Amino acid sequence: MGSQEVLGQAARLASSGLLLQVLFRLITFALNAFILRFLSKEIVGIVNVRVPLGVFWSLFLGWVWLRLLEVPDPNVVPHYGTGVVVFGLSAVVELLGEPFWVLAQAQMFVKLKVIAESLSVILKSVLTASLVLWLPHWGLYIFSLAQLFYTTVLVLCYVAYFKKLLGFPKSAKQQMLPVSRMTDLLPSILRSRAFVNWEEAKLTWSFFKQSFLKQILTEGERYVMTFLNVLNFGDQGVYDIVNNLGSLVARLIFQPIEESFYIFFAKVLEREKDATLQKQEDVAVAATVLESLLKLALLTGLTITVFGFAYSQLALDIYGGAMLSSGSGPVLLRTYCLYVLLLAINGVTECFTFAAMSKEQVDRYNFTMLALSSSFLVLSYLLTRWYGSVGFILANCFNMGIRIMQSLYFIHRYYRESPHRPLAGMRLSPVLVGAFALSGGITGVSEALLCCEQGWLFRLAHVAVGAVCLGATLGTAFLTETKLIHFLRTQLGVSRLADKRT
């Protein structure tokens, strides 16, 4: 399969993932805005922060959550013990479907992912809203049962699809698969009578360490909240709501792009070879794609940062009412807007870095991440003691900045001996930088004069000012970033053509 064909498949997977995420978030955004009117922030804090994963960790940490950690007042958060058990069970169920998800992702089965995840999220959201409306006194029962229902539906969708696909051994899709029957996805004895393939186990262990450390760096503040009690349950709930709202665009746009183009880079580039020793056509295509993705991430992140600062309070007031728009909520969301910019850049740089690294480089990187995760946890604790929940976001910004610098250094070294310079995607024209700065100033003044205590007419005027500034900024980007526009037009055209053929 040529690099252009792989690029087309990756673009198709990313665009489908983007549409899928938009569908998810529109549904969950509306339902969450409804649900927040019926729940206390203490219950939200319990649900969103305390979810252990894995079979062993579900059992062990379930015991820790119930016996060693602070248990909330049953009058405020009823059915806490049952909720912990059901959440642990849902994690185990989701693990059962992991091999099927990995296989579908590697084979770029776009429609399967869209249908399975859309159906699961929609049914979960409807069930959650229904239970909140009709049985609000159930407390944690609502979220735990909805989560178990979601994972069960998701796993059954993947299992049913592959069972049907593997039942037709002569089909083109089945012949592309590395397995021929369902039992191949389960643990089994090898022909050599060994239960473990040690070469694969060693590689798996390397990626497990990387994933574990990345989990600490990504979700470490939740463990600090839980085990060190730096925030009460109510503050945890507000932080997590703001965190989910702030990362909305990251999940909408950056996650599908990162997942899809990681597969692209992994298929096009060979891990054990430098750029000069590989097929130069593939190296050139990878460099062009990386440069365009970096530019796209930078522009999207800057847009969120600049415009999010002036519209954070309004967004929180619409989303959750006074519970979110008063107090620390707006400051949290404004700080998170800066974090989104770093998230955008890091997602692109790491998806290339992890796809191009050799096993030895991955192992070395794991040691760096170990030191970084330790310093991140310490920094999270200290900054939270000093600045409250904002300290978590500041610690995340520090963590993300270090990771970006490491990835940029790897990319620079990777292309050092080649004529390609994909890091040029990190540069913007002075005219566009000026447009962002002017828009930030105008919307900041607009917020001070028009938002958010003077009624809906002034709020709408504030929104109109932002819309004009956003349109002018995007227009400037369209005129100055012609290379990125050409890339997007080309790849969207490839994606649409592939959709028509299928």
Side-chain angles (χ1 to χ4, degrees):
M1 185 182 295
S3 58
Q4 290 293 341
E5 186 177 354
V6 176
L7 176 58
Q9 286 189 345
R12 184 182 173 208
L13 185 59
S15 60
S16 299
L18 177 59
L19 293 175
L20 177 63
Q21 289 291 341
V22 170
L23 174 64
F24 286 177
R25 301 311 163 189
L26 286 176
I27 294 173
T28 54
F29 182 89
L31 290 174
N32 285 340
F34 165 79
I35 290 169
L36 286 173
R37 266 70 176 181
F38 293 86
L39 296 175
S40 68
K41 58 186 180 181
E42 285 77 14
I43 288 184
V44 176
I46 293 292
V47 169
N48 289 333
V49 174
R50 299 192 166 190
V51 183
L53 301 176
V55 178
F56 170 77
W57 292 111
S58 293
L59 295 173
F60 175 70
L61 290 181
W63 176 81
V64 170
W65 257 244
L66 292 172
R67 300 297 181 184
L68 301 183
L69 298 182
E70 177 187 1
V71 176
D73 186 348
N75 295 321
V76 179
V77 184
H79 316 301
Y80 177 76
T82 304
V84 170
V85 173
V86 177
F87 268 116
L89 178 60
S90 69
V92 175
V93 172
E94 191 166 2
L95 280 176
L96 295 176
E98 194 73 10
F100 301 97
W101 182 89
V102 172
L103 183 58
Q105 191 78 353
Q107 297 297 320
M108 295 186 176
F109 288 169
V110 179
K111 292 181 181 179
L112 170 60
K113 180 178 180 180
V114 171
I115 294 173
E117 297 192 12
S118 297
L119 182 63
S120 304
V121 169
I122 291 172
L123 292 179
K124 174 191 175 183
S125 301
V126 172
L127 178 62
T128 303
S130 301
L131 292 177
V132 166
L133 182 61
W134 295 328
L135 299 167
H137 60 279
W138 276 22
L140 284 183
Y141 277 157
I142 296 172
F143 292 98
S144 57
L145 291 176
Q147 180 67 19
L148 180 60
F149 181 69
Y150 161 78
T151 56
T152 302
V153 173
L154 183 64
V155 171
L156 287 177
C157 286
Y158 279 99
V159 170
Y161 178 86
F162 280 105
K163 184 174 179 58
K164 181 179 179 181
L165 180 60
L166 293 173
F168 296 93
K170 295 183 179 181
S171 66
K173 277 189 175 181
Q174 198 279 338
Q175 292 177 359
M176 294 171 55
L177 295 176
V179 297
S180 59
R181 55 186 184 274
M182 295 290 286
T183 54
D184 291 340
L185 295 169
L186 301 175
S188 60
I189 303 295
L190 303 177
R191 291 181 179 179
S192 61
R193 296 292 181 181
F195 186 72
V196 177
N197 183 322
W198 289 107
E199 290 186 4
E200 293 182 359
K202 188 176 181 181
L203 181 61
T204 302
W205 173 245
S206 177
F207 279 105
F208 170 78
K209 291 185 292 184
Q210 182 187 87
S211 300
F212 177 78
L213 294 171
K214 191 173 181 180
Q215 170 71 10
I216 295 296
L217 293 174
T218 305
E219 305 286 346
E221 75 272 13
R222 299 173 187 266
Y223 299 105
V224 174
M225 285 183 200
T226 299
F227 291 103
L228 299 181
N229 292 323
V230 292
L231 298 177
N232 59 44
F233 290 130
D235 290 340
Q236 288 182 29
V238 172
Y239 171 83
D240 208 75
I241 294 170
V242 171
N243 178 65
N244 288 335
L245 184 60
S247 63
L248 186 63
V249 175
R251 294 194 298 269
L252 281 174
I253 300 176
F254 308 142
Q255 183 178 349
I257 290 177
E258 181 179 352
E259 291 178 352
S260 304
F261 283 95
Y262 169 81
I263 297 174
F264 163 74
F265 290 129
K267 286 181 176 289
V268 169
L269 302 175
E270 298 183 53
R271 289 183 178 272
E272 303 297 329
K273 294 183 179 180
D274 294 333
T276 55
L277 302 178
Q278 302 194 41
K279 188 178 179 181
Q280 290 307 299
E281 178 187 353
D282 293 344
V283 172
V285 171
T288 301
V289 171
L290 178 58
E291 180 181 350
S292 299
L293 292 179
L294 282 173
K295 183 79 69 174
L296 178 63
L298 182 60
L299 289 177
T300 306
L302 276 174
T303 302
I304 299 301
T305 302
V306 170
F307 289 92
F309 188 87
Y311 291 88
S312 293
Q313 185 175 357
L314 180 59
L316 290 175
D317 192 65
I318 295 173
Y319 186 61
M323 181 181 77
L324 297 181
S325 61
S326 60
S328 62
V331 178
L332 277 172
L333 189 54
R334 290 186 181 111
T335 310
Y336 204 96
C337 288
L338 173 62
Y339 179 51
V340 168
L341 171 60
L342 300 177
L343 271 177
I345 299 172
N346 182 73
V348 172
T349 55
E350 281 196 348
C351 88
F352 176 88
T353 300
F354 292 152
M357 277 182 171
S358 66
K359 179 186 175 302
E360 291 72 21
Q361 289 172 322
V362 170
D363 287 335
R364 288 198 298 268
Y365 188 79
N366 285 339
F367 284 108
T368 304
M369 291 185 71
L370 178 61
L372 184 59
S373 61
S374 301
S375 61
F376 167 67
L377 293 176
V378 174
L379 189 63
S380 296
Y381 176 77
L382 294 176
L383 289 178
T384 307
R385 286 293 187 186
W386 296 335
Y387 302 110
S389 52
V390 177
F392 282 127
I393 303 178
L394 294 176
N396 276 316
C397 288
F398 170 80
N399 153 46
M400 208 57 63
I402 298 297
R403 288 165 63 178
I404 290 172
M405 288 191 291
Q406 289 180 312
S407 296
L408 291 179
Y409 178 69
F410 174 84
I411 295 170
H412 170 73
R413 291 193 61 186
Y414 188 86
Y415 281 102
R416 180 174 50 188
E417 304 297 330
S418 75
H420 309 293
R421 296 293 178 266
L423 294 183
M426 296 291 291
R427 294 196 294 265
L428 297 178
S429 69
V431 176
L432 184 54
V433 173
F436 274 115
L438 184 61
S439 295
I442 292 174
T443 54
V445 173
S446 173
E447 182 186 33
L449 297 178
L450 302 175
C451 191
C452 292
E453 305 296 335
Q454 304 180 59
W456 277 103
L457 185 61
F458 286 89
R459 293 183 178 191
L460 291 175
H462 179 46
V463 171
V465 171
V468 171
C469 290
L470 178 60
T473 303
L474 294 179
T476 305
F478 184 84
L479 294 175
T480 57
E481 301 298 338
T482 55
K483 190 173 182 180
L484 174 62
I485 299 302
H486 174 72
F487 172 81
L488 292 176
R489 281 177 170 173
T490 303
Q491 295 312 313
L492 286 177
V494 170
S495 176
R496 288 171 182 168
L497 180 60
D499 285 336
K500 289 179 181 179
R501 288 177 177 175
T502 55

